[in-house]
Amino acid sequence: QVQLVESGGGLVQFGGSLRLACAASGRSFSTYTMAWFRQAPGKEREFVAAISWNADTTRYADSVKGRFGISRDNAKNTMYLQMNMLKPEDTAVYYCAADNVGKLFGVVSSQRRYQYWGQGTQVTVSS
């Protein structure tokens, strides 16, 4: 099974930046669509961003577009989420996810398309 481990979360001031990382096990990382989701207290988990296996396609939720940047380094089996201009509404647990059929069917935002999930990392933005 693919194992995903998030890191880089923490407490940041309004307008600040954080860089999250997702380290993946296995040799098939380079074939997976990767994505970030988040879940705020009292709310359902929502899509944040996704990146195709070869990084030629990215998708972002409207709420983070222009502020967040998703990237990956297949040689290191790692995906990143650069978060800039952070707002209190960005406060949530951020989860890394992997889709092993994204290479065939494309990059999607649906949670149901992602088979592997990390344990999450907390991001808190103070106002």
Side-chain angles (χ1 to χ4, degrees), residues 34-125:
M34 300 295 295
W36 290 96
F37 293 80
R38 68 186 182 186
Q39 186 167 21
K43 296 184 178 181
E44 295 184 354
R45 186 169 56 190
E46 65 177 359
F47 171 77
V48 176
I51 186 168
S52 62
W53 68 277
N54 60 355
D56 67 344
T57 302
T58 57
R59 291 186 179 182
Y60 297 92
D62 289 341
S63 59
V64 306
K65 194 173 300 181
R67 299 187 297 120
F68 290 10
I70 189 170
S71 62
R72 66 192 298 163
D73 186 340
N74 287 346
K76 296 181 178 180
N77 276 18
T78 304
M79 176 184 63
Y80 304 94
L81 183 67
Q82 179 65 48
M83 304 185 294
N84 302 315
M85 302 173 63
L86 284 163
K87 307 174 181 179
E89 49 263 46
D90 294 319
T91 295
V93 176
Y94 284 71
Y95 296 93
C96 172
D99 171 20
N100 60 14
V101 296
K103 188 177 181 180
L104 299 176
F105 298 101
V107 179
V108 299
S109 61
S110 174
Q111 300 177 42
R112 295 179 296 179
R113 285 289 299 275
Y114 293 86
Q115 300 81 39
Y116 309 106
W117 295 82
Q119 295 299 306
T121 184
Q122 176 70 48
V123 172
T124 303
V125 184

